[in-house]
Amino acid sequence: MSLYSFPFDSTETPQHERLGGKCTSLAIMTSAGMPVPPGFAVTTDAFDAVMNDTKLHAQIEEHLKGLDYNNPAEIDRQAALIRELILTQEVPEAVRLEVVEAYQNLMNLCGGEVPVAVRSSATAEDLPDASFAGQQDTYLWIIGEHNVMQKVRECWASLYTARAISYREANNIPSEGLSIAVAIQKMVNSRSSGVAMTIDPTTGDKTKIVIDSSWGLGEMVVSGEVTPDNFVVDKVMLSVVNRIISDKHEELVPNGRGGITRREVDEERRNSPSLSEEEVVAVAKLAKAADKHYGCVQDVEWAIDADLPAGANVLLLQSRPETVWSQKETPVASLSGGAGIEAITRSLLSSLEKNKK
């Protein structure tokens, strides 16, 4: 077993405490045969080695000790100092070599060097009773071993933004044992992308799948920077029962230099559907499959890959439990002491084991 990396297509059972919420989900979905872009996790063991095999852990604790959480300026100052410590700390050689090897294996699998997404995967994220969305970092269209390693460091450092520190304090999430993994995954060339929920988020109707879609990368949908197309699909019949086509004025696209750029959508596409009827149904089927696999309502991120043929171009980027209606229906154990983490980990791994039988 590799200690510091975990391929998503590994035959080993993923462990939430080693992979975090996002990477655990990606590994489980890959094992279940869902169309997930290939990639691997830089495990929490790597972060723990950087923290504990150096003086980082003690230094960070010193910065957090006695912190006045009613003083935003002081939180900002200490958070910036902690992140700088992480970004400048030399990574232990064993960690660096294994992560580089896993990255090269991924590039070989993809037939050469391709852009990747580098995404944080904290151990306390994507839980039904706590939403960490957007609190740790995501970097897109990253090319090259050196750049990937730098973004891994930045993901580690994002565990200590002022917002993340304050959120953990407000929600009684202890810093002791806190760790983070990082997902490194082939970048999807998104023609269209967005989110799908296997419940109507406005009414709680579980007989519907609601899809938001726009041109380009999905970050503008998630952040609310563009008003997406909206499709409501009957979950049983997989028929579209309502649609709203919006004026989608901007999109994020690759710039050809290993990054992304924001541009205006051409006049012809602005008010045209970003998904065909067949693609809406394909996205709905994907979301429904994730819902069935996990056994609970899902919040799914998906994309249509422009490089792939119709019928094979709908990809699953992430699937996590829906957080609003699930809290109303089922009280979940407090995160204090790790009870919430253990509960969802048991659920995810139980689902995986059932599908292996």
Side-chain angles (χ1 to χ4, degrees), residues 230-234 237-243 277 280-281:
N230 179 266
F231 304 91
V232 180
V233 180
D234 183 279
M237 302 303 294
L238 291 174
S239 57
V240 181
V241 296
N242 191 44
R243 76 187 72 222
E277 192 84 9
V280 171
V281 173

Side-chain angles (χ1 to χ4, degrees), residues 235-303:
K235 191 181 288 186
V236 176
M237 302 303 294
L238 291 174
S239 57
V240 181
V241 296
N242 191 44
R243 76 187 72 222
I244 299 173
I245 307 303
S246 301
D247 182 351
K248 301 168 290 296
H249 62 291
E250 285 187 314
E251 62 182 337
L252 291 176
V253 295
N255 61 18
R257 302 185 300 277
I260 58 175
T261 188
R262 181 190 301 258
R263 73 180 184 190
E264 287 190 13
V265 175
D266 56 87
E267 199 65 34
E268 183 180 349
R269 289 186 300 137
R270 280 185 65 152
N271 293 288
S272 297
S274 52
L275 291 176
S276 68
E277 192 84 9
E278 293 77 13
E279 288 168 344
V280 171
V281 173
V283 171
K285 285 181 178 178
L286 190 65
K288 185 176 178 179
D291 184 297
K292 182 179 180 181
H293 183 75
Y294 285 114
C296 64
V297 173
Q298 293 292 297
D299 177 355
V300 171
E301 293 182 26
W302 56 269

Side-chain angles (χ1 to χ4, degrees), residues 90-229:
E90 185 175 348
V91 177
E93 187 69 0
V95 175
R96 189 189 68 80
L97 288 175
E98 187 172 322
V99 173
V100 168
E101 181 180 7
Y103 172 75
Q104 292 300 336
N105 289 339
L106 176 60
M107 295 302 98
N108 292 336
L109 178 66
C110 295
E113 193 162 74
V114 297
V116 296
V118 182
R119 301 176 184 270
S120 302
S121 180
T123 53
E125 73 180 1
D126 294 344
L127 302 175
D129 55 349
S131 178
F132 284 73
Q135 290 196 24
Q136 276 82 55
D137 286 350
T138 290
Y139 302 97
L140 304 176
W141 297 94
I142 307 303
I143 297 177
E145 173 187 307
H146 174 78
N147 293 330
V148 167
M149 286 302 301
Q150 180 60 28
K151 295 308 178 187
V152 168
R153 286 173 180 262
E154 292 180 29
C155 285
W156 290 339
S158 71
L159 197 60
Y160 291 97
T161 62
R163 181 187 175 196
I165 292 170
S166 298
Y167 184 90
R168 290 193 293 269
E169 171 66 17
N171 289 274
N172 297 313
I173 300 172
S175 293
E176 191 63 35
L178 191 68
S179 194
I180 188 169
V182 180
I184 298 177
Q185 191 175 29
K186 178 191 177 296
M187 195 70 217
V188 176
N189 186 10
S190 301
R191 187 212 73 204
S192 305
S193 54
V195 297
M197 301 194 65
T198 58
I199 191 172
D200 187 328
T202 60
T203 65
D205 184 355
K206 289 186 178 180
T207 69
K208 301 295 187 294
I209 297 172
V210 177
I211 300 169
D212 285 337
S213 171
S214 192
W215 301 114
L217 299 172
E219 273 63 28
M220 296 189 79
V221 174
V222 174
S223 67
E225 292 181 79
V226 66
T227 301
D229 296 335

Side-chain angles (χ1 to χ4, degrees), residues 21 257 316 329 355:
R257 302 185 300 277
L316 184 60
E329 294 174 0
N355 278 272

Side-chain angles (χ1 to χ4, degrees), residues 127 172-174 333-346:
L127 302 175
N172 297 313
I173 300 172
S334 168
L335 281 178
S336 179
I341 293 175
E342 292 173 2
I344 193 167
T345 303
R346 285 195 298 269

